Amino acid sequence: MIKNLKNTNTSPTGDSAGLLGEVEGVLQGHRDGHGFLIPDDGSSDIYLSSQETHAVMHGDRLRVRVMRFDKRGRPEGKVLEILERKKRPLIGRLLLESGIWLVAPEDRRMGQDILIPKNGIANATAGQVVAVELTEPPSLYSQPVGRVVEVLGEIDDPGMEIEIAVRKYDVPHRFSPDTLTQSAKLPEKLRAADLKHRIDLRDVPLVTIDGEDARDFDDAVYCEPFKQGRGKKAIEGWRLLVAIADVSHYVKPGEPLDADAYERATSVYFPRRVIPMLPEKLSNGLCSLNPYEDRLSMVCDMLVSSDGTVAAYQFYPAVICSHARFTYTEVAAILANTHGPEAAKRRDLVPHLLHLHEVYRALLAERHRRGAIDFETTETQIVCDDNGRIEKIIPRTRNDAHRLIEEAMLAANTCSADFIQSSKHHSLFRVHEGPTPEKRQTLQAYLRSLGIGMGISDDPTPREFQAIAQATKDRPDAQQIHTMLLRSMQQAIYTGTNSGHFGLAYPAYTHFTSPIRRYPDLLVHRVIKCLLGNKRYALDPAKMNVPQAPKRPGRPPPPNPADARNEAERWEVVGAHCSANERRADEASRDVEAWLKCRYMRDRLGEVFAGTVSAVTSFGLFVQLDELYVEGLVHITELGGEYYRFDEVRQELRGERTGIRYATGARVQVQVSRVDLDGRRIDFRLVRDDDEARALRNASGRPAGKSSAKPTARPPAKKRVPKTAVETLEEVRQTDRDVRKSRKEVITSLHPVKAAQQAAKRQASKASKKTATKAAPRKRR
């Protein structure tokens, strides 16, 4: 108590809230019943016990008093006041239990089921997914009460997982009536007035290159050789044109279209469905650079020298006509064989594709010279059947066509950033900062633990990261090392203050190339247009009327929209809003993919697969299956009957008796043991090979490595798939019996004194019984 009194003014962690201090923030619930207050001032999260969260729900704004600090200096609080209830419908399944109707929320962070009166179920039936509006909030002595406001359908209906996700994460999915009315009034084709003050590039053979499943085309490219001047002043290279859909011509500030686009901030991509930022008439029609149709665009016209540097650039509005729609696969095939069947179909455009490939190689060489980070990661694509269920998951291979377009877009984005910054105008920059001091120290310790001679400096550069990636790319644990390099860096955000892009090694970077699906790109277009007309672009003050973005761990609190009084603060608010909605879209997409994967794996219970450990935590191993590209958890209790210690530096679990180690990148075999569809969780059980099983048996008798048996060659791993459900059940029961037995052995090894006492008691008991047995016959004589 005396120690706590000394910390009355400041917390042990140095945050602003000390003991008995009051803090305001938003509650982040936990599925186990407790929660954390995310303070508005950016200080450490405050733990709230399940008793404190009984009268509140996830998303409520609270005032909390810090009551104590735990041994690690983390604050624990008490709820003083509920400042604001989160007003939005909750999504869940309607259940009937013992004559009582209730809804189990889909978002487990809510913590409590919602009671529904008989007259509040509308026309819903038990088992259906519904949206519920609260009529009575929870209290210390009662559960929340609500009524059904929307019936979404059955849980197995095609696309239901998407309907749940968009409501669970508050993703706007319906355009306002005013937006639909304005969209309907837009012309079907370009008018003569639309072409005024634009450069006509319809004769230039610009082409689009996208994926096979792309529906909106917001960029077109063209390249030709270029040479200017003589002697030392001569410029030799390529002229690269990147034409981007001119969305700003149709979406004006203050109009309903702009209001809905700002609210969404980004398009959200799900398997087989997209929730667009703009209505379909714009995203797939007027603004999409469809082949053989006239379209308005903003053009970045660049001169790229032979060494890959951009020698000059200019921006201007234009009207273009795409001469072809290419896919990545088609372009890669043409570049690989210019005399093949794919090239024969596009004979007139093949030379232009070759010029694009030449400028790509020059830009790529310049990328390597400046030391940009380039990790080769495996991306996957979910292929669904007609019912919206996963049919298969396949790796998405990046080829030269992908990289060609990527380098062209990077060049245009850096030119837009340079143009805006040189004009000293406010805008949104895409900022990616390097590792924090804490993450830098963790990475340095990790590299040292692996014996890697290379390290990073106190002020690391992208070149250092790329050098480590290149030096370790042929190691068996290369994937593990590259993952740690990626995790050490911070997340990219939108902000009005330029701090450069660490990963790409750019001093300034913006997003200019996707205004159809990203609102920051639309704002950059507006700024460039105003600069071309010698004007200044001012943000609409109405855009400040948005909820405050949530605070992110390790970052300062986002600006409060109500406090944005000048132009710089307004850009910060808009950046925080766009960054938060980008993360919201990613979370919703991951939630849907996780549900689909759980549904996919539910039909594979009991099957055995080979996999790779993708992450190691104190509670177990995350394993990604080789064949299916699905990730699941092997809980630490499934690793065998001994104590495993988590080494945070090496990112591994190590058995104290056997010395068996599990680290990121390790190869294992697992059996699918459990699928929790509601919790979006897949559990695996480790399938051991003969060597590991022998080591565990030795550990239970005598120390591993002291066996008198001669070492034998390791037999090849066999895929042991149970033939029937009865065999699978018996195998599970046997494994559980083995685990219980090994746990007793672990307890014995961890408490030797207690074990010795119990052994002495057993010996004394045996001795007394033996004495009694010997004495009895003598009495009978």
Side-chain angles (χ1 to χ4, degrees):
M1 182 62 68
I2 297 177
K3 181 178 179 180
N4 284 339
L5 289 175
K6 290 181 179 180
N7 292 322
T8 302
N9 296 324
T10 58
S11 71
T13 57
D15 292 326
S16 58
L19 186 65
L20 303 182
E22 297 183 6
V23 184
E24 295 183 3
V26 178
L27 173 65
Q28 179 175 301
H30 191 276
R31 61 184 301 167
D32 292 339
H34 59 268
F36 297 89
L37 185 83
I38 312 299
D40 296 338
D41 59 8
S43 56
S44 297
D45 299 347
I46 300 173
Y47 172 79
L48 299 173
S49 66
S50 56
Q51 290 82 1
E52 293 296 327
T53 60
H54 193 75
V56 294
M57 301 184 73
H58 169 73
D60 290 348
R61 283 189 56 79
L62 311 173
R63 179 181 290 114
V64 168
R65 175 174 293 159
V66 178
M67 302 303 295
R68 65 185 65 85
F69 294 94
D70 65 9
K71 295 180 180 178
R72 297 174 60 183
R74 296 173 299 186
E76 299 181 13
K78 175 182 179 63
V79 177
L80 297 180
E81 183 182 358
I82 302 171
L83 302 176
E84 182 183 356
R85 295 281 188 182
K86 191 166 186 179
K87 299 177 181 178
R88 66 178 179 88
L90 304 177
I91 307 301
R93 294 186 69 180
L94 183 65
L95 305 174
L96 180 62
E97 296 183 356
S98 302
I100 299 175
W101 291 94
L102 54 87
V103 168
E106 176 67 24
D107 191 344
R108 295 297 184 88
R109 295 175 298 180
M110 292 301 168
Q112 302 182 60
D113 293 340
I114 303 164
L115 298 175
I116 308 294
K118 291 184 179 180
N119 60 355
I121 64 171
N123 58 344
T125 58
Q128 287 187 313
V129 181
V130 297
V132 176
E133 182 181 72
L134 292 184
T135 56
E136 296 180 22
S139 68
L140 292 175
Y141 309 104
S142 64
Q143 289 180 253
V145 180
R147 63 184 182 89
V148 175
V149 294
E150 183 182 8
V151 180
L152 302 183
E154 302 294 336
I155 187 64
D156 290 327
D157 289 347
M160 179 54 64
E161 67 279 358
I162 298 177
E163 297 295 333
I164 292 174
V166 295
R167 292 164 175 82
K168 178 179 177 180
Y169 292 95
D170 292 332
V171 176
H173 58 285
R174 293 192 181 99
F175 290 105
S176 67
D178 292 340
T179 295
L180 296 176
T181 301
Q182 183 184 357
S183 176
K185 292 180 180 178
L186 293 173
E188 299 294 334
K189 296 183 178 181
L190 297 187
R191 299 165 298 187
D194 298 328
L195 307 183
K196 290 182 179 180
H197 311 296
R198 291 182 179 271
I199 295 177
D200 193 340
L201 297 180
R202 284 176 287 190
D203 60 332
V204 177
L206 288 144
V207 297
T208 61
I209 305 176
D210 290 278
E212 283 79 1
D213 54 352
R215 296 182 60 191
D216 51 17
F217 313 108
D218 45 17
D219 58 82
V221 292
Y222 168 77
C223 184
E224 64 182 14
F226 178 83
K227 186 174 182 179
Q228 184 182 48
R230 295 180 180 179
K232 295 182 179 180
K233 295 184 178 179
I235 299 176
E236 186 174 355
W238 300 269
R239 183 187 180 193
L240 175 62
L241 270 65
V242 176
I244 307 298
D246 190 0
V247 177
S248 62
H249 180 81
Y250 300 101
V251 183
K252 305 291 186 182
E255 294 182 348
L257 272 172
D258 184 56
D260 272 15
Y262 179 64
E263 182 186 14
R264 299 178 179 219
T266 182
S267 297
V268 187
Y269 292 87
F270 300 107
R272 293 190 52 178
R273 181 179 170 186
V274 178
I275 297 180
M277 186 182 77
L278 299 171
E280 189 173 355
K281 188 171 183 179
L282 285 170
S283 59
N284 296 339
L286 279 172
C287 293
S288 183
L289 306 183
N290 299 325
Y292 317 118
E293 295 184 14
D294 294 349
R295 289 290 184 261
L296 304 181
S297 68
M298 284 293 295
V299 176
C300 180
D301 194 338
M302 296 167 279
L303 296 182
V304 182
S305 62
S306 57
D307 63 354
T309 58
V310 179
Y313 65 84
Q314 62 176 333
F315 290 91
Y316 51 82
V319 54
I320 70 166
C321 179
S322 173
H323 282 47
R325 181 265 200 265
F326 284 100
T327 65
Y328 293 122
T329 305
E330 187 179 7
V331 171
I334 293 173
L335 295 176
N337 183 7
T338 56
H339 299 287
E342 292 84 2
K345 298 175 184 177
R346 311 277 191 159
R347 193 174 304 277
D348 295 340
L349 297 173
V350 169
H352 305 303
L353 294 180
L354 294 177
H355 295 325
L356 281 168
H357 192 249
E358 291 170 359
V359 76
Y360 148 69
R361 288 188 295 181
L363 291 170
L364 186 63
E366 198 280 329
R367 177 193 186 112
H368 292 158
R369 279 194 298 272
R370 72 173 185 270
I373 302 173
D374 187 15
F375 295 137
E376 287 292 337
T377 56
T378 302
E379 297 182 1
T380 57
Q381 177 183 359
I382 294 178
V383 179
C384 296
D385 57 20
D386 295 336
N387 294 322
R389 300 290 181 257
I390 293 180
E391 182 177 317
K392 58 183 177 179
I393 302 175
I394 58 176
R396 192 192 297 269
T397 305
R398 293 177 74 244
N399 52 43
D400 275 0
H402 290 86
R403 301 183 184 96
L404 182 155
I405 291 299
E406 179 183 334
E407 289 298 330
M409 298 304 114
L410 291 176
N413 286 335
T414 51
C415 288
S416 64
D418 182 76
F419 181 59
I420 293 171
Q421 195 171 35
S422 61
S423 302
K424 298 181 180 180
H425 196 291
H426 292 293
S427 184
L428 279 188
F429 293 91
R430 183 66 167 179
V431 169
H432 180 228
E433 297 179 346
T436 61
E438 295 80 8
K439 289 186 175 182
R440 188 186 70 242
Q441 293 174 4
T442 301
L443 179 61
Q444 288 174 330
Y446 171 73
L447 295 175
R448 284 195 299 268
S449 69
L450 295 182
I452 298 176
M454 307 173 67
I456 57 175
S457 61
D458 292 338
D459 187 15
T461 63
R463 190 181 303 277
E464 296 175 30
F465 279 73
Q466 183 62 17
I468 296 173
Q470 283 294 114
T472 59
K473 65 179 182 180
D474 295 327
R475 288 174 55 123
D477 56 353
Q479 186 68 30
Q480 171 189 355
I481 297 170
H482 294 181
T483 300
M484 290 299 295
L485 291 173
L486 282 171
R487 289 177 179 173
S488 69
M489 292 182 284
Q490 300 183 55
Q491 190 177 32
I493 60 171
Y494 294 107
T495 176
T497 304
N498 176 41
S499 301
H501 198 291
F502 183 84
L504 296 173
Y506 285 133
Y509 187 71
T510 61
H511 275 171
F512 164 79
T513 54
S514 298
I516 292 178
R517 60 185 179 91
R518 292 190 305 226
Y519 195 82
D521 302 54
L522 175 58
L523 289 176
V524 169
H525 276 233
R526 289 174 179 170
V527 170
I528 291 176
K529 272 191 173 181
C530 286
L531 291 175
L532 292 176
N534 295 320
K535 300 178 182 178
R536 308 288 291 182
Y537 179 74
L539 281 173
D540 184 359
K543 286 187 171 51
M544 304 307 107
N545 187 22
V546 294
Q548 185 170 5
K551 177 245 177 191
R552 306 299 293 182
R555 292 192 178 276
N560 189 343
D563 298 335
R565 298 182 179 86
N566 54 49
E567 196 67 14
E569 291 178 356
R570 289 187 182 126
W571 281 101
E572 290 295 332
V573 169
V574 171
H577 170 77
C578 292
S579 298
N581 285 13
E582 178 187 41
R583 289 189 292 269
R584 178 183 65 184
D586 291 340
E587 290 170 356
S589 298
R590 283 195 295 267
D591 186 82
V592 169
E593 290 184 6
W595 191 95
L596 289 172
K597 289 178 179 178
C598 287
R599 182 69 176 78
Y600 182 54
M601 296 304 294
R602 197 167 63 176
D603 299 329
R604 289 164 172 76
L605 283 171
E607 294 187 25
V608 176
F609 300 93
T612 304
V613 176
S614 56
V616 181
T617 67
S618 59
F619 54 85
L621 313 171
F622 285 96
V623 177
Q624 186 178 45
L625 305 184
D626 295 342
E627 301 175 10
L628 305 181
Y629 299 97
V630 171
E631 190 175 65
L633 174 68
V634 178
H635 197 266
I636 196 168
T637 56
E638 299 289 349
L639 296 181
E642 69 168 312
Y643 182 77
Y644 281 87
R645 188 177 299 277
F646 176 56
D647 188 335
E648 189 174 1
V649 175
R650 292 179 176 270
Q651 289 291 299
E652 69 177 17
L653 287 172
R654 179 175 180 176
E656 285 200 340
R657 288 183 299 142
T658 63
I660 291 179
R661 299 179 180 181
Y662 296 101
T664 307
R667 301 285 300 154
V668 294
Q669 279 202 331
V670 294
Q671 182 187 47
V672 183
S673 61
R674 180 174 177 267
V675 175
D676 181 3
L677 200 59
D678 293 333
R680 313 290 196 268
R681 176 175 166 174
I682 303 170
D683 289 338
F684 295 147
R685 177 178 288 108
L686 198 64
V687 177
R688 301 184 183 279
D689 60 21
D690 294 341
D691 283 354
E692 289 178 325
R694 188 181 302 109
L696 289 175
R697 287 196 299 269
N698 289 340
S700 62
R702 56 174 173 257
K706 294 187 178 181
S707 173
S708 60
K710 296 182 179 179
T712 57
R714 178 173 177 172
K718 296 181 180 180
K719 187 174 182 180
R720 291 169 282 178
V721 181
K723 296 180 180 180
T724 65
V726 174
E727 292 177 353
T728 302
L729 181 60
E730 179 58 31
E731 183 178 336
V732 171
R733 287 174 174 171
Q734 182 60 41
T735 303
D736 290 340
R737 286 193 291 267
D738 294 341
V739 169
R740 286 196 295 269
K741 181 180 177 181
S742 57
R743 282 177 181 167
K744 292 180 181 178
E745 297 171 355
V746 172
I747 294 173
T748 301
S749 63
L750 292 178
H751 302 281
V753 176
K754 185 176 181 181
Q757 293 174 349
Q758 292 177 350
K761 289 181 179 180
R762 287 195 295 269
Q763 291 293 338
S765 177
K766 289 180 180 180
S768 62
K769 289 181 180 179
K770 187 175 181 180
T771 303
T773 304
K774 290 181 177 179
R778 284 197 294 269
K779 287 184 178 180
R780 285 196 291 272
R781 291 195 192 99

